[in-house]
Amino acid sequence: MSQPSILIVDDEPSNFDVIEARLSDRDYQLYYVASGAEAIATLDTFNPDLILLDVMMPGIDGIEVCRQVKAMPKWQATPIIMVTALNSKSDLANCLTAGADDFISKPVNGLELRARVQSMLRIKQQYDSIQGFSCVQANTIHVLENALDELCGNLATRVSHELNTPLNGILGTLELLQGNLDTLERGEIREMLGWAEESAHRLEDLTQKLRMYLELELCEKQRQPLDSAQTHCSSAATAPLLQARARRFDRCDDLIVALEDAVVALPSRSLSMLLYELLDNALKFSSPGTVIKVTSQIAGENLLLSIHDSGQGMTAEQIDRIGALMQFERRKYEQQGLGMGLTIVKKIVELAGGAFSMTSVYQQETTVQLTLPLAR
């Protein structure tokens, strides 16, 4: 494997010296530029495997540099770690929205810096391997229909990337623990175990989603309905679960839940998956401070469940193309995930004998309405 290259972008040369000292025991090729404009201009010269990017810089700030780099197809897969003295939720959200893969706070902690750099470089190495495999298989893929071609491309990259990211986070943390266990303090060990736990939860969420998708595919192909289970759906039963989900985005105050008491003909796991996926989309693609409404009302033998947000929105073409392993404008919004959430929702609703509909005004709002049969 060639020596990994890291581009460090900071208008203060002394900060480069600090980072260089923290990484001096690693086999990395470090490059330094003093401005965002210079960083963009020298990408092809330095060909970095990772970019450490300061947020607060004169001229083009780090967030705008990140946004421009991630908009370039050639550099979209290059991990960017934002180095920032900012610590508010909105500031960190702006970094992630711009496309940053991770961030580290100033003053830079050497242990944390090494762990995050090692994890991001591992992800880049995995991505490069996948891309190489994709090139070898290009002739075979072109024979397939266009839809299958797109799906296979996403399978080769998105699934592997999304599963490898948390897995590498766990492995990188364990390697660091093993190599430094005798010198680490208890607080540092606890912090590092927290990183591993967070990655493990993310990996668990992804595998559960994949399992649900495959189960639904099997039901569809065998023309089997969902289990004839019954689940109570009400504000009292559901709001605490949705609030816990919103808390992960620090947006509990944005969420309004007003559900009419009803018993729907859905397994509990399926109803939870519906609500979680739709709420997660609303949280990811709307700004903090904007309201997300989850409401329902009984209409005859059905429950009309609605989720509304004032966020990114979708075009009519994008709504028509909702499918597994597909995310729209991922380069612009750089959200984690497989892009199969809405497809899982549609499959659950249709297998239950209900209906799925979506209305949206691009860059303004989205409303998803589900018609769910009530338990007889």
Side-chain angles (χ1 to χ4, degrees):
M1 176 181 173
S2 60
Q3 188 181 34
S5 60
I6 301 174
L7 177 61
I8 300 166
V9 188
D10 199 307
D11 62 307
E12 291 291 338
S14 59
N15 291 335
F16 169 73
D17 295 336
V18 171
I19 292 175
E20 184 179 39
R22 298 285 192 272
L23 299 177
S24 60
D25 61 336
R26 304 301 169 101
D27 187 27
Y28 300 146
Q29 178 66 54
L30 304 182
Y31 300 102
Y32 170 72
V33 295
S35 70
E38 187 180 0
I40 294 171
T42 57
L43 285 174
D44 288 324
T45 301
F46 296 134
N47 196 29
D49 296 299
L50 172 67
I51 300 173
L52 287 173
L53 178 58
D54 186 38
V55 173
M56 304 297 291
M57 293 188 296
I60 307 176
D61 66 19
I63 291 177
E64 179 58 28
V65 173
C66 181
R67 187 177 291 114
Q68 291 188 30
V69 171
K70 287 294 184 178
M72 302 177 191
K74 180 177 179 180
W75 303 107
Q76 184 189 0
T78 302
I80 295 178
I81 300 177
M82 307 297 284
V83 184
T84 175
L86 308 175
N87 54 20
S88 73
K89 295 288 185 181
S90 60
D91 292 327
L92 299 181
N94 287 337
C95 291
L96 294 175
T97 300
D101 297 271
D102 206 347
F103 51 84
I104 187 169
S105 300
K106 292 181 178 180
V108 174
N109 175 276
L111 181 67
E112 182 180 4
L113 176 67
R114 288 190 291 273
R116 294 186 185 277
V117 166
Q118 182 176 338
S119 178
M120 288 295 108
L121 286 174
R122 185 192 296 272
I123 292 169
K124 181 60 165 55
Q125 181 185 0
Q126 294 281 355
Y127 179 86
D128 289 344
S129 298
I130 292 167
Q131 288 298 102
F133 175 78
S134 296
C135 291
V136 171
Q137 297 299 321
N139 290 335
T140 303
I141 293 176
H142 283 310
V143 176
L144 303 175
E145 297 179 358
N146 289 337
L148 185 59
D149 180 31
E150 187 171 16
L151 178 60
C152 286
N154 282 325
L155 275 169
T157 55
R158 185 77 42 74
V159 174
S160 182
H161 173 77
E162 290 297 331
L163 291 176
N164 273 324
T165 297
L167 183 59
N168 286 323
I170 296 170
L171 292 175
T173 301
L174 292 178
E175 287 178 7
L176 205 59
L177 276 170
Q178 188 176 29
N180 299 275
L181 192 58
D182 294 336
T183 60
L184 292 173
E185 297 180 359
R186 183 182 295 272
E188 291 176 321
I189 294 174
R190 185 177 292 110
E191 181 182 8
M192 294 175 69
L193 288 175
W195 303 342
E197 182 180 21
E198 182 180 349
S199 293
H201 285 313
R202 180 177 170 190
L203 186 60
E204 182 183 33
D205 286 346
L206 289 167
T207 53
Q208 286 179 350
K209 187 179 294 188
L210 282 170
R211 179 183 173 186
M212 172 67 79
Y213 176 76
L214 294 174
E215 288 176 358
L216 294 170
E217 279 283 296
L218 186 61
C219 285
E220 256 190 351
K221 299 214 178 287
Q222 296 180 349
R223 298 183 179 179
Q224 293 178 348
L226 291 177
D227 295 338
S228 56
Q230 301 179 5
T231 304
H232 186 214
C233 181
S234 67
S235 292
T238 307
L241 301 176
L242 299 182
Q243 287 287 354
R245 207 74 172 179
R247 193 172 297 116
R248 295 169 60 178
F249 293 78
D250 195 27
R251 294 190 60 185
C252 287
D253 294 339
D254 296 344
L255 182 61
I256 296 175
V257 180
L259 301 176
E260 190 170 348
D261 284 6
V263 179
V264 294
L266 273 178
S268 174
R269 188 166 71 103
S270 297
L271 179 62
S272 296
M273 181 67 77
L274 286 179
L275 292 168
Y276 286 166
E277 288 302 321
L278 293 175
L279 179 59
D280 275 0
N281 273 353
L283 289 166
K284 288 177 183 177
F285 298 110
S286 65
S287 301
T290 61
V291 173
I292 298 172
K293 294 182 180 179
V294 182
T295 59
S296 73
Q297 63 181 36
I298 294 175
E301 297 182 348
N302 297 303
L303 180 71
L304 304 182
L305 179 65
S306 174
I307 294 88
H308 176 270
D309 70 82
S310 302
Q312 169 188 340
M314 298 175 70
T315 65
E317 180 185 2
Q318 288 173 342
I319 292 174
D320 289 339
R321 295 178 62 215
I322 290 171
L325 309 175
M326 183 179 296
Q327 287 185 320
F328 301 106
E329 301 187 352
R330 183 179 173 96
R331 293 179 187 174
K332 181 176 180 181
Y333 293 93
E334 197 62 23
Q335 299 293 344
Q336 298 173 349
L338 296 170
M340 63 166 53
L342 287 178
T343 296
I344 288 177
V345 171
K346 288 185 67 176
K347 287 181 181 293
I348 291 174
V349 172
E350 290 167 0
L351 287 169
F356 172 99
S357 67
M358 174 185 286
T359 57
S360 186
V361 179
Y362 185 59
Q363 299 292 351
Q364 292 186 33
E365 62 179 4
T366 298
T367 301
V368 177
Q369 183 163 294
L370 310 179
T371 302
L372 304 176
L374 296 173
R376 295 183 183 276

